[in-house]
Amino acid sequence: MPSLLSRVLLVPTVGGADCFARANQPLGAGLAQIALNNAHHLLAENSLRHLMTYPGPKEVWTNSASNAEFPWDRYYDSTDGTGGGVLVVATGPIVLRKYGDSGLWPKVTWKFRWHCGDNSGTKQKITIVTQVARWGEHPRNASYSLQSTTYNDSDTTFVTASLTTDLGVGLNTQSVPFNPAQDPAESGTLPIMRAWAGFYCEANNKSYSGEVAGVACYLEENP
Amino acid sequence: MTTARVLEVVPFVSPDAYETGRTVRAAHGVDLANLANFAALGHPSQVLHFGKILDEGTYSAYFTPLPGVVDYLVLAGWLQFKIYDTGATCNLTIKVYDLSGNSYSAPAPFDGTFEFRPGRDVPRNDAATSIQGIFSVDAMVAAGLDTSDDSWRFEVDVNYTVPYVPLVGPHIILDGLTVFELPRRTVNTADPYGVLPGAFLPLAPIVDVGQVQGVLKALEGAYNSSLRTYLSLAVSEENGALYTTQGAVDGSLDNLEETGTTPITFWCRPRYLRGTTSRFRFQVRYKVNGDDAEVKITTAAGSYTITLVDSGGAWADSTVGTGYFTCTGPGDTDSMVVTGSAVAGACTLSAITVWEYPE
């Protein structure tokens, strides 16, 4: 459940002269409630984090036959004419934690600035495709729901948009072994994933390219 | 030193269990201890994202050292060929610096001598293309880095035997490079945060004030240590498209412009703790010659500036600046833009990091 106060309630410094838990002080329900509230709130907020930012701006002008067939392997920037035209950005590995005690994975949000291309007054739609893959798994083969949104309501002026992906209860994250040799007590496995976003434009002509800038990816609460 | 496992699940614990008048049971203390331990040690959040690296050279990012809370930093990278070339390899030299210039040099294979090379025709993000490294924070402390510093600088020097040239021939690149903090799996009484759940025994009186204080202390750790990196931008000092300004009046930086002179807007979701703002630190890697310069970060809460002292044209670490995001509750987002000015000559930045600084 969410914390009672939806915020942290600060208490005097632990061990200080005013510490609520100093010696010979009665241990009341109030202190336990504060501790529980703070623990709930911090567990929920600490399970979220900022993952990456890609500055851009980058032009996109190449179309994709479908979202499912998005060319994830075009790993060069769109400035590279032969392999470019789409933009692919990805986070590094993410150590996932369930959102608080909800039992749900956090949501992944991509927030960015964009404008689409203009072909003699006809706006050339830009589409973002998002995907979540396990560490070491190709994004095309990822088993999680592929999501997308198409934009066409701004031609030359950058505007802000965002797309939030719910990983769903079916997400079965990969456990990757970490075995630091120095301290066996710290060995174990972790649920790790990477998040991907691809942008393409229906123009299929660099003269009518759109642009994407300031792509940020972060985790959000769920539900 | 006594250790216990961090319970990596969040059990449902109702506030009703802690009502006034209820009998205190061992589970009350055990549950609080487990929740506090996981919140403090299981959620490190600093992520140094270097992204795709086309250019050889030196890349930097800053972070707050958390020895005793975070024991290891993990480096993860992916290599890709454009066209397979048996001679194309990559080597990495990893160093970490404190504010005084003391340094830690990573051992092999991250000492610049090992040649990383993926297999032929391996798909993107395949495990066979990945590079992993785990670096001990204790080793960095042992190397002399000052744990009381506000920040340390993580430096990656990238070298390719067949570098990237746009539109030309075979080459190898790092498709992505990220450094993140590894969560702790154990509570250790020798560390600053963490409490042993087993200290709360059924039928046993709570005679050690440290038991309850340990819970509160661990929650202090959860508040102070799960730091988000809100912006991590780095380009090659030697070959990258550097962030530059030559204007005496504050304005956008070259290569950080959305269009014209409009700076790029960077979004983030600050960690909401309390109040109406969320504090952050920021630091840049820069060089300026002839006079001081300034770099400024503007958010919805205000504008925050650090002075870049004349470095005589050499690369230098700025002082650590402080600023605020507007954040009035969980789920709030804010944005930031980075601008700068230089009184004399050009001010050039190769790295900009913005990360959380709880208050």
Side-chain angles (χ1 to χ4, degrees), chain A residues 42-63:
Chain A
L42 288 164
L43 277 164
E45 280 292 309
N46 289 2
S47 68
L48 312 177
R49 72 198 61 172
H50 191 90
L51 302 176
M52 64 150 286
T53 303
Y54 174 81
K58 287 296 179 189
E59 289 182 294
V60 288
W61 66 85
T62 299
N63 203 0

Side-chain angles (χ1 to χ4, degrees), chain B residues 92-97 102-108 110-112 135-136 139-145 155:
Chain B
L92 302 174
T93 305
I94 307 290
K95 292 185 177 180
V96 182
Y97 295 87
N102 300 312
S103 67
Y104 157 84
S105 297
F110 298 102
D111 58 355
F135 307 106
S136 164
M140 297 173 195
V141 174
L145 272 61
E155 181 186 279

Side-chain angles (χ1 to χ4, degrees), chain B:
Chain B
M1 179 188 82
T2 309
T3 62
R5 293 290 289 185
V6 174
L7 189 66
E8 294 186 58
V9 295
V10 182
F12 173 77
V13 182
S14 169
D16 294 347
Y18 297 86
E19 282 180 342
T20 301
R22 293 228 176 192
T23 302
V24 176
R25 300 180 187 281
H28 291 134
V30 171
D31 283 345
L32 284 176
N34 281 326
L35 292 172
N37 287 339
F38 190 34
L41 304 175
H43 297 75
S45 298
Q46 292 186 98
V47 178
L48 311 180
H49 185 78
F50 296 94
K52 186 179 344 189
I53 294 181
L54 298 177
D55 302 309
E56 292 184 291
T58 307
Y59 295 76
S60 296
Y62 300 91
F63 66 103
T64 292
L66 298 167
V69 180
V70 173
D71 284 349
Y72 299 98
L73 302 179
V74 179
L75 176 144
W78 284 263
L79 287 166
Q80 286 287 340
F81 288 115
K82 181 173 183 182
I83 301 171
Y84 184 74
D85 185 317
T86 54
T89 62
C90 165
N91 60 48
L92 302 174
T93 305
I94 307 290
K95 292 185 177 180
V96 182
Y97 295 87
D98 68 7
L99 290 175
S100 303
N102 300 312
S103 67
Y104 157 84
S105 297
F110 298 102
D111 58 355
T113 59
F114 188 84
E115 295 183 335
F116 294 101
R117 189 156 60 91
R120 184 171 190 164
D121 299 328
V122 177
R124 188 171 203 170
N125 198 39
D126 191 282
T129 71
S130 69
I131 298 170
Q132 288 181 42
I134 299 179
F135 307 106
S136 164
V137 174
D138 285 346
M140 297 173 195
V141 174
L145 272 61
D146 188 345
T147 58
S148 65
D149 278 357
D150 292 340
S151 73
W152 289 352
R153 178 168 63 90
F154 195 98
E155 181 186 279
V156 184
D157 192 9
V158 181
N159 283 285
Y160 301 129
T161 51
V162 184
Y164 170 72
V165 178
L167 307 179
V168 176
H171 56 259
I172 188 172
I173 63 161
L174 271 164
D175 190 24
L177 187 68
T178 298
V179 177
F180 63 94
E181 298 172 313
L182 190 63
R184 288 277 299 277
R185 320 305 292 264
T186 56
V187 177
N188 188 330
T189 54
D191 289 335
Y193 303 121
V195 58
L196 300 176
F200 297 95
L201 294 171
L203 301 178
I206 298 175
V207 294
D208 179 3
V209 70
Q211 294 169 233
V212 182
Q213 287 190 0
V215 171
L216 300 181
K217 189 75 176 171
L219 291 171
E220 277 187 7
Y223 186 96
N224 291 322
S225 304
S226 196
L227 309 178
R228 292 184 192 175
T229 306
Y230 296 123
L231 183 65
S232 174
L233 299 178
V235 292
S236 166
E237 291 180 7
E238 296 83 0
N239 304 300
L242 298 162
Y243 313 128
T244 305
T245 182
Q246 299 188 31
V249 178
D250 181 63
S252 61
L253 303 171
D254 292 349
N255 299 311
L256 279 182
E257 289 159 334
E258 183 177 276
T259 180
T261 57
T262 304
I264 293 173
T265 301
F266 298 107
W267 296 93
C268 67
R269 182 198 183 285
R271 183 170 65 132
Y272 180 70
L273 296 173
R274 62 195 180 90
T276 57
T277 56
S278 179
R279 190 168 63 170
F280 63 81
R281 280 176 164 145
F282 64 108
Q283 192 171 10
V284 301
R285 182 91 171 143
Y286 76 98
K287 61 179 179 181
V288 62
N289 194 5
D291 207 332
D292 293 352
E294 285 187 344
V295 63
K296 181 162 77 175
I297 290 186
T298 302
T299 72
S303 295
Y304 311 96
T305 302
I306 48 179
T307 298
L308 308 178
V309 179
D310 185 357
S311 67
W315 287 108
D317 299 319
S318 74
T319 56
V320 182
T322 302
Y324 294 86
F325 292 118
T326 295
C327 185
T328 59
D332 276 5
T333 57
D334 198 353
S335 63
M336 64 192 120
V337 296
V338 184
T339 54
S341 62
V343 175
C347 171
T348 303
L349 311 182
S350 66
I352 305 168
T353 311
V354 179
W355 72 103
E356 188 182 359
Y357 181 28
E359 64 175 342

Side-chain angles (χ1 to χ4, degrees), chain A residues 79-144:
Chain A
T79 49
D80 185 334
T82 55
V86 299
L87 174 63
V88 180
V89 291
T91 71
I94 305 163
V95 178
L96 272 184
R97 297 300 194 191
K98 295 286 179 68
Y99 177 68
D101 66 357
S102 70
L104 301 172
W105 299 113
K107 293 179 179 178
V108 178
T109 290
W110 296 89
K111 194 164 185 175
F112 53 94
R113 303 271 292 163
W114 68 277
H115 74 78
C116 62
D118 186 358
N119 181 2
S120 302
T122 302
K123 295 166 183 171
Q124 305 295 297
K125 298 173 185 173
I126 277 187
T127 299
I128 175 176
V129 185
T130 64
Q131 186 61 285
V132 171
R134 295 181 291 183
W135 193 357
E137 181 182 57
H138 191 284
R140 182 180 293 114
N141 301 328
S143 54
Y144 317 115

